Structures are given as C-alpha cells and as structure tokens.
Amino acid sequence: MRVVLQRVSRASVRVDGEIVGEIGHGALILAGVKDGDTEDDVSYLAGKIPNLRIFADGDKHFESSVTETGGSLLVVSQFTLYADTRKGRRPSFVGAAQPAEAERLYQLLVTELRAKGLTVETGRFGAMMDVELVNDGPVTIIIDSEDRQRARRA
C-alpha cells in the first residue's frame, strides 16, 4: 500500500461539484492499494501517518505530528499511484488491487486512523473527484508499506 502525504493548510474534494470532504490544517493522504496488500499494510500506514513529524514547532520545521498539532486528515483513494509507465506511453494499472479489495483496505485505513482519535474526512471511493489543496511548505512525502521490509534488513 502506498500513500502520498501532503502537508496542507487546507484541502477539499468535490464530486459532481459538491464538497464531500474538507479540512483545514493537516494532511491530504492519497492512498493506493496494490494487488496482494493486506491488513498488515494498512496497520503499518495507520501507525506511521499520525506520528510522522512533518509540522513545525517554533523554529524546528519537522518537530510535530498531525496528532500533536490537532490537525485533520483528508484521505482520498488513488489507484493511479500504482501506474506502471515502463512500457509505451499509456500507463498500465495491472498492479493495482481489484476495486472491491482496494475499497475494503481503503475503508480500513480510514477506520484505523479515526480509531487513533484523528478527524478524518474522505473522498468518495471510485468517483471522479476534484481535489483542491494548498500544500504547506511545500511538504510532500511518499510512504510505501513495502519500505518496512527494507527497514528491517538495513
């Protein structure tokens, strides 16, 4: 499972012109699920996201987490994070999970983040969405659940 985390001063998502999710200070999370991802991948990300020190605390730019600052999360599903662009000009998405499994794990991520006491807004799974954000910094970080395997070997 892969997420692109963007520190934001505000973010929103619209479906058919209607705002379905909106936050102020916090993080926009674009979440992609690949074929073979499990609940363990979700738990890894749900543990990492709330505690990642990406917010300023006085003069220290990366000292506080979204939990410590009282920020919110806007979590948006994004299968295109698993685009394979190695061949040709049209991306392939064969590595992305099937929609039913992707939605199950996406919803589980949202549930686990809320269980940690965070305010979590969402997009609408599978819909054509317009995402608007003001990236604060800018700060954009990619977290992949496969990285935990590499960290164990290092």
Side-chain angles (χ1 to χ4, degrees):
M1 195 166 186
R2 180 176 295 154
V3 300
V4 174
L5 181 151
Q6 294 180 296
R7 186 176 74 187
V8 299
S9 51
R10 64 181 162 79
S12 64
V13 62
R14 293 176 188 265
V15 176
D16 296 327
E18 173 191 347
I19 294 176
V20 296
E22 184 174 35
I23 63 168
H25 163 80
L28 170 65
I29 308 294
L30 304 174
V33 181
K34 79 171 183 335
D35 189 36
D37 281 344
T38 68
E39 291 85 358
D40 288 341
D41 296 290
V42 172
S43 293
Y44 171 76
L45 292 171
K48 183 67 86 172
I49 291 167
N51 299 304
L52 200 61
R53 293 178 171 188
I54 60 167
F55 295 93
D57 184 9
D59 292 337
K60 297 180 180 180
H61 295 289
F62 291 92
E63 190 61 27
S64 298
S65 68
V66 70
T67 302
E68 294 166 326
T69 63
S72 301
L73 300 176
L74 175 57
V75 183
V76 177
S77 62
Q78 184 133 19
F79 75 93
T80 59
L81 292 178
Y82 283 102
D84 183 348
T85 60
R86 293 176 291 181
K87 257 176 86 174
R89 297 182 302 153
R90 181 174 291 131
S92 168
F93 301 103
V94 296
Q98 292 298 307
E101 181 64 1
E103 184 173 14
R104 184 181 78 80
L105 293 176
Y106 163 77
Q107 294 295 348
L108 183 58
L109 176 63
V110 169
T111 299
E112 286 196 22
L113 290 168
R114 285 180 176 151
K116 294 181 183 306
L118 293 163
T119 299
V120 180
E121 294 284 321
T122 67
R124 187 172 296 152
F125 188 90
M128 180 63 88
M129 296 175 274
D130 295 324
V131 179
E132 186 175 321
L133 69 132
V134 176
N135 192 323
D136 178 23
V139 173
T140 302
I141 296 172
I142 299 169
I143 310 169
D144 196 311
S145 60
E146 286 185 349
D147 291 343
R148 73 183 187 279
Q149 303 300 329
R150 289 185 210 116
R152 289 181 189 149
R153 290 189 292 251

